[in-house]
Amino acid sequence: MGWQTQRILDTVGTATGGTQSINYNLESIEALMITLQADVADGLRPPNATTGGTGPTTFTSTSYGTIATASTGRLGCQIFSEGPGTLHVTLGTSTTSTTLYTARLSAGDYFEVPSNYTGLIGGIFATAGTARVTEVS
């Protein structure tokens, strides 16, 4: 997307007059807008620079708990299970259990939440354990 934007800006910058140049620029801008609208409809966000984050924080709950709250500013989230327990992780609003989960992490396992997932991340340890959670925003 960045190179398209730069191309349009370069072209707009050289337009000094005449309807042909103006029409060409408007067509390029319209094509870019259609692409951006399709990306937004597909749930894709334009690339952002990483400006911060939280973590690592510790998650140790043996009953359902929130690993990370929903955040529209989240660019990524990494979870590392230090063990010894098994961590069950769920993406979404379903309550996590040892039989209902998105990912199961044993001691030493690493889970990277899919890019651009900004919803709730819940979890539960089957037995006592520790996980390190880092969010990037």
Side-chain angles (χ1 to χ4, degrees), residues 45-95:
R45 295 186 314 180
N48 296 318
T50 299
T51 59
T54 62
T57 58
T58 303
F59 180 80
T60 60
S61 184
T62 55
S63 59
Y64 175 77
T66 298
I67 294 175
T69 59
S71 171
T72 57
R74 181 189 310 132
L75 299 176
C77 183
Q78 297 81 34
I79 304 168
F80 176 74
S81 181
E82 292 183 333
T86 301
L87 174 61
H88 298 81
V89 179
T90 299
L91 304 180
T93 57
S94 296
T95 300

Side-chain angles (χ1 to χ4, degrees), residues 8-132:
I8 291 169
L9 291 174
D10 290 344
T11 305
V12 169
T14 61
T16 57
T19 57
Q20 186 174 6
S21 293
I22 292 170
N23 287 338
Y24 175 78
N25 292 329
L26 291 175
E27 288 170 8
S28 296
I29 292 169
E30 182 180 20
L32 176 62
M33 293 304 295
I34 289 169
T35 301
L36 290 173
Q37 288 170 343
D39 287 347
V40 169
D42 290 340
L44 300 177
R45 295 186 314 180
N48 296 318
T50 299
T51 59
T54 62
T57 58
T58 303
F59 180 80
T60 60
S61 184
T62 55
S63 59
Y64 175 77
T66 298
I67 294 175
T69 59
S71 171
T72 57
R74 181 189 310 132
L75 299 176
C77 183
Q78 297 81 34
I79 304 168
F80 176 74
S81 181
E82 292 183 333
T86 301
L87 174 61
H88 298 81
V89 179
T90 299
L91 304 180
T93 57
S94 296
T95 300
T96 308
S97 71
T98 58
T99 58
L100 177 66
Y101 55 86
T102 302
R104 186 179 71 194
L105 291 86
S106 298
D109 287 346
Y110 170 82
F111 178 65
E112 190 164 319
V113 175
S115 290
N116 295 326
Y117 175 75
T118 59
L120 177 70
I121 304 169
I124 184 173
F125 270 100
T127 58
T130 302
R132 302 290 176 202

